[in-house]
Structures are given as C-alpha cells and as structure tokens.
Amino acid sequence: MSQQIPLVTGSLVASGTLLVIYDLLCTLDQEVEYVWSRPLAFSSILFFLNRYLPFVDTVLSIQLHLDYFTPEECITRFKALTWFIVVGLLLCEAILMIRTYAIWERRRAVLYGFIALFLVVAIPGIVMTQLELDSLVYGPVSDRGCRLIHASPIIMGSYLLLLLCETIIAVLMCIKAWQHLRQPHSSWVNRLYFQDGLLFFIYTFFISLANVIVPICNPSLANWLATPQRVLHSIFSTRILLLIQSQKVSPPRSPTLFSSIFDSDINDYADTIPSSYQSVGPISPRTAELERVDTFELGARTS
C-alpha cells in the first residue's frame, strides 16, 4: 500500500492541474470581456490572485513528485507549497464572504460577523499549519519524489475550521434562498444561490471532510487532497467573480483609496441584485432596469 501512495497523490495533482487548465480555457473569453476590458478594481485584483495562484501551487506539487530531492529540499519545497495553498484558501473564503455580505444587503452585523469569523479561522489555522510544518520528517528515497515519514495530525484542526467557515456561509445562503423561494427568479440569481452557492458548499464540504477522516484511517495520506481542494476552491470562486462582473451594467468607478475601491465593488455587486431579493430599501435605477429586463423575459417565455 505504501508504494501506491505516491502514485495516488501524483495522479490527484495531475488531475488538479488539468482541471485548472481546462477551466481557464472554458472561461477565458468571459475573463477578457468582464475583467481585462474593465478598469482595474479591487475585485479585479481578487480575481487575478484567485485565478492564477493555483498554477503556482500545481507546479510546485508536480515538482515534488517528478524531481529528485534530498529530505531537506523536500521540507523546504513542501513548506512553500503549503503556504501558497493556505493563502489561496483564505482568499477564496474572503471572496465567499464578500459575496454573501452583498447578498445580505451589506448589513453591519453580517460584516462584523464575517470579520470575526475570518480571524477565528485564519489565525488558529495559520498557527496549526506552522506546527504541522515544524513536525515534518522526510526520509531519503532512491527514486523521484519525496517520502514523508512523520507529520503531526494537528493539520486536521485547520480543515475543521475551514468546514466551520463554509458551513456558516452556506447557512446564510440557505436563509436567503428560503426567503426568496416563492419569488420570481432570474437565471443568474438561481446560479448565485444554487449552482454557484449551495453546490459549491457540497463539493468542498466533502473534500474537506475527506481531508479530516482519511488521515485518521491512514496517517500516510495526510494532505492527500490538499491540492484538489485548493483547485476546486479557486475554480468555484472564479465562477462567482465572473458572475458578479458580468452583472455590472456600467464600469466601476476609479477611486484612489483601497477602502473606497472595496466599497465600490460591493455596492456595484449588491445593486445588481433585483429589489425582489432584498427586504427593504429604495430601488436604484440600475435595479429597476434589471427588473424590467427580467419581466420582459418572463413575459416572452409565457406568451
């Protein structure tokens, strides 16, 4: 069994690499239209980081399986790979929080709750990741790749925190979806709540759960799904950002301060949600225009 572990992990890394490339090819036209052709904004920076950092992760993972390394080199490269994955996953969680915050009409309680949740997940997660990296022991190998001898199981705590964070986000999405279940839907709002919302949670939930359960049954398979988990988070977050960008009917403003860029993107995104999906508040001209388009499409389908 131990001889098959490098083959299994290597196959997962190769599959993740191909999946990232495939998704890039499938959505490159949308990226050019909705991101590259617009002025640089905070959401664009988020998009580029989320989109292209996984290529660094996968290249490092492939190198660990194909090149010859000493045990010391294995530790150094695995640490670099791990921190790229950690940064990427936290970035994806921030994107999900921003999306959910906008859906909840930018309520301060939701904002403060997400800030607290991010700190609760990020700080202990970083500490547990560092403790796990300090415990790594690699042995010499006569073939390509690295042979892990020992790793602390404390990294399971990081995966549990990730599960907690995504579960809370999914619950908030479910509450909003339930509130508007009887209301007329536009196709992109259905995608927002279900295809790019709850389905995202289902996929990533089971991968995170496997990252917790599998090391308990077989410690030598610790982190075996780290790269696939990172890749899927990036792909789904990319689809969410592209959906957000596609709903902006006018180019974003060009503020000079980082905070105003952030507020502008959140306001632009929230304004694209029809008023029937928000509880109270005035209807903006942009929202009214979108409602008229949705009404026209509904009438055309029923006629």
Side-chain angles (χ1 to χ4, degrees):
M1 176 63 183
S2 60
Q3 296 179 351
Q4 296 178 351
I5 291 176
L7 178 61
V8 172
T9 55
S11 299
L12 289 172
V13 170
S15 301
T17 305
L18 292 176
L19 192 58
V20 169
I21 296 174
Y22 175 76
D23 182 70
L24 175 63
L25 296 176
C26 289
T27 58
L28 186 59
D29 57 335
Q30 300 177 51
E31 178 180 339
V32 172
E33 180 179 358
Y34 301 134
V35 183
W36 287 95
S37 61
R38 295 179 181 272
L40 185 65
F42 178 69
S43 58
S44 304
I45 297 174
L46 278 181
F47 178 86
F48 292 134
L49 290 174
N50 176 74
R51 173 75 135 179
Y52 293 104
L53 276 181
F55 288 95
V56 179
D57 306 346
T58 53
V59 168
L60 290 175
S61 297
I62 290 174
Q63 276 190 323
L64 283 174
H65 288 86
L66 296 182
D67 290 346
Y68 294 93
F69 297 112
T70 64
E72 292 76 17
E73 291 174 334
C74 287
I75 292 177
T76 301
R77 291 177 179 270
F78 186 79
K79 285 183 177 180
L81 170 63
T82 300
W83 288 121
F84 270 109
I85 292 176
V86 169
V87 170
L89 289 175
L90 291 178
L91 182 64
C92 292
E93 296 306 308
I95 292 171
L96 294 177
M97 289 179 181
I98 291 172
R99 185 270 306 268
T100 309
Y101 167 60
I103 290 176
W104 276 82
E105 306 153 41
R106 293 156 287 174
R107 294 185 182 179
R108 289 188 176 273
V110 176
L111 174 62
Y112 296 150
F114 275 150
I115 292 175
L117 178 62
F118 188 84
L119 294 176
V120 167
V121 172
I123 295 176
I126 290 173
V127 171
M128 286 185 284
T129 300
Q130 183 60 49
L131 292 175
E132 192 245 1
L133 292 177
D134 291 339
S135 71
L136 294 177
V137 178
Y138 283 90
V141 293
S142 57
D143 201 356
R144 292 181 175 86
C146 298
R147 182 168 65 92
L148 181 63
I149 296 177
H150 176 265
S152 172
I154 196 173
I155 194 64
M156 290 188 296
S158 297
Y159 291 120
L160 288 173
L161 288 174
L162 197 62
L163 279 174
L164 172 65
C165 179
E166 292 177 352
T167 300
I168 292 175
I169 293 174
V171 168
L172 291 175
M173 290 291 294
C174 286
I175 292 174
K176 273 297 178 183
W178 177 259
Q179 288 177 355
H180 308 300
L181 192 60
R182 297 180 179 275
Q183 309 226 359
H185 304 297
S186 66
S187 60
W188 81 270
V189 175
N190 283 326
R191 285 185 56 195
L192 182 68
Y193 282 123
F194 298 103
Q195 180 178 330
D196 294 326
L198 301 181
L199 290 181
F200 170 91
F201 168 75
I202 293 173
Y203 294 144
T204 56
F205 175 84
F206 284 106
I207 292 180
S208 298
L209 190 62
N211 266 325
V212 174
I213 296 176
V214 171
I216 297 177
C217 303
N218 189 345
S220 59
L221 286 175
N223 291 321
W224 72 304
L225 283 175
T227 297
Q229 182 183 31
R230 167 74 177 102
V231 166
L232 286 178
H233 272 77
S234 172
I235 289 175
F236 284 118
S237 296
T238 295
R239 298 301 180 100
I240 289 171
L241 289 174
L242 286 175
L243 178 62
I244 293 172
Q245 294 288 78
S246 68
Q247 297 305 316
K248 292 183 179 180
V249 296
S250 62
R253 298 184 295 273
S254 302
T256 56
L257 296 177
F258 177 87
S259 60
S260 58
I261 293 175
F262 178 85
D263 291 339
S264 173
D265 285 339
I266 292 296
N267 292 338
D268 285 341
Y269 174 37
D271 286 344
T272 63
I273 301 176
S275 62
S276 59
Y277 294 92
Q278 301 192 25
S279 56
V280 294
I283 301 177
S284 67
R286 181 180 306 171
T287 299
E289 180 181 353
L290 286 173
E291 285 184 320
R292 289 195 296 271
V293 172
D294 288 341
T295 303
F296 174 78
E297 291 177 350
L298 182 61
R301 287 195 298 267
T302 56
S303 61

